[in-house]
Amino acid sequence: PVAAQAEQAPANSSFTREELEKLLAPIALYPDPLLAQRLPASAYPVQIVQAQRWLDKNKALVAKNDYSGIDKQDWDPAVKALARFPDVIARLNADLDATSDLGDAFVNQPEDVASVIQALRREAQAAGSLQTTPQQRVVVQDQGDTSYIAIEPADPGVIYVPSYDPAVVYSDTGVSAVGAGLIGFGLGVAVGAVADNVWDWGRGWVYPPRWPGYPGYGPGGSVNIDRNVNIG
C-alpha cells in the first residue's frame, strides 16, 4: 500500500472535516483507480510542476501518446502514471496550495480522507447524481463489517475522468434544479489492466494500479485515447 513519502508533509498538519470536504469534493467521484493515483501524486507538488512543464514542452509527443520521456524522469510513479491524464495534471498545477494540502492530508490523515470520500459519495448517490454510466460502475463493496461505495471503470483498463460541479452534485436541491447528466466524461484513456480493490477504505490505504510509468509495467507500456467520446 502507498503511504506516500511526501516532499512536504509536516507531521503536525491536521485538517478539519470541513477543510477535507472542500479539498476532496472535486475528486471524490473519480473512479477508484484514478483516485488511487491522484492522491499519492498530490504529495509531490514540485514533481507536478515538472510534469506540467514537460507536457507543455512536448505537445507533439503527447499528441502521439508518447510518454517515454516522462517515464525516464526520476519522479514518483504515481506522478508519471497521472501524466497520462494531462487535464488532471493541469488542475493539480493550477492550484498548488490545494494540491499540497491534499497531499499532506493523504499522508497524515488517510483514514479521515477515506471517510470523507465515502461520505461525499453517499451524499451524491442520495442526491441522484452518482449513478452507474457507460463509463463507470457504482457498486457497494464489503470490507470487513463495513460497506463502501466503489466507483469502477465500466471497461477494465479504460479510465474516464469525470467532470462535475461540486456545488451541485452533492445537493438534492442542486440536482433537482439542474436535472440529470450532472457528471460528464471526456475521452477515455486506456491504461492497461486495472487491479481490483485498489482501496483499503477502513485505513485509507491505496494500492495504485501499475499503469505505464511504474517500473516493470507489462508489454507495450503505451496509453491510447479512446476517440469514442461519451458524455454523461
Side-chain angles (χ1 to χ4, degrees):
V2 169
Q5 301 296 316
E7 293 166 340
Q8 305 173 26
N12 61 349
S13 65
S14 181
F15 297 92
T16 66
R17 190 168 185 87
E18 183 178 1
E19 290 171 332
L20 289 176
E21 288 174 352
K22 182 178 179 180
L23 287 171
L24 291 163
I27 63 172
L29 305 187
Y30 277 28
D32 290 1
L34 182 58
L35 201 56
Q37 302 283 19
R38 196 185 191 286
L39 287 173
S42 298
Y44 300 90
V46 173
Q47 294 180 15
I48 292 295
V49 172
Q50 293 172 323
Q52 183 63 63
R53 289 176 179 173
W54 189 96
L55 293 169
D56 289 340
K57 292 178 180 178
N58 295 278
K59 294 183 183 297
L61 294 177
V62 172
K64 297 177 182 178
N65 302 314
D66 182 355
Y67 293 91
S68 56
I70 287 277
D71 295 337
K72 295 175 183 176
Q73 303 299 319
D74 186 22
W75 300 340
D76 185 81
V79 175
K80 293 191 285 187
L82 202 63
R84 272 69 183 183
F85 299 83
D87 289 346
V88 176
I89 291 289
R91 294 172 198 171
L92 288 168
N93 185 68
D95 190 347
L96 289 173
D97 286 341
T99 295
S100 182
D101 285 347
L102 190 61
D104 289 348
F106 172 68
V107 171
N108 297 316
Q109 299 171 252
E111 292 183 17
D112 294 337
V113 167
S115 175
V116 169
I117 290 170
Q118 284 296 317
L120 288 168
R121 288 182 175 185
R122 288 192 293 271
E123 289 180 20
Q125 190 177 54
S129 51
L130 180 60
Q131 302 177 14
T132 292
T133 70
Q135 297 83 13
Q136 60 187 29
R137 297 189 307 126
V138 179
V139 299
V140 175
Q141 289 182 347
D142 293 327
Q143 292 184 2
D145 297 327
T146 308
S147 296
Y148 300 95
I149 297 175
I151 303 176
E152 303 173 343
D155 179 359
V158 179
I159 304 295
Y160 291 86
V161 181
S163 176
Y164 60 88
D165 182 353
V168 174
V169 294
Y170 302 109
S171 165
D172 288 332
T173 303
V175 172
S176 299
V178 177
L182 292 176
I183 301 178
F185 299 89
L187 301 176
V189 178
V191 293
V194 173
D196 294 331
N197 299 321
V198 295
W199 274 86
D200 180 335
W201 291 108
R203 289 180 285 190
W205 291 0
V206 298
Y207 301 80
R210 289 185 173 271
W211 296 342
Y214 279 82
Y217 179 75
S222 62
V223 171
N224 301 307
I225 302 295
D226 182 352
R227 296 298 173 184
N228 297 316
V229 181
N230 294 304
I231 303 297

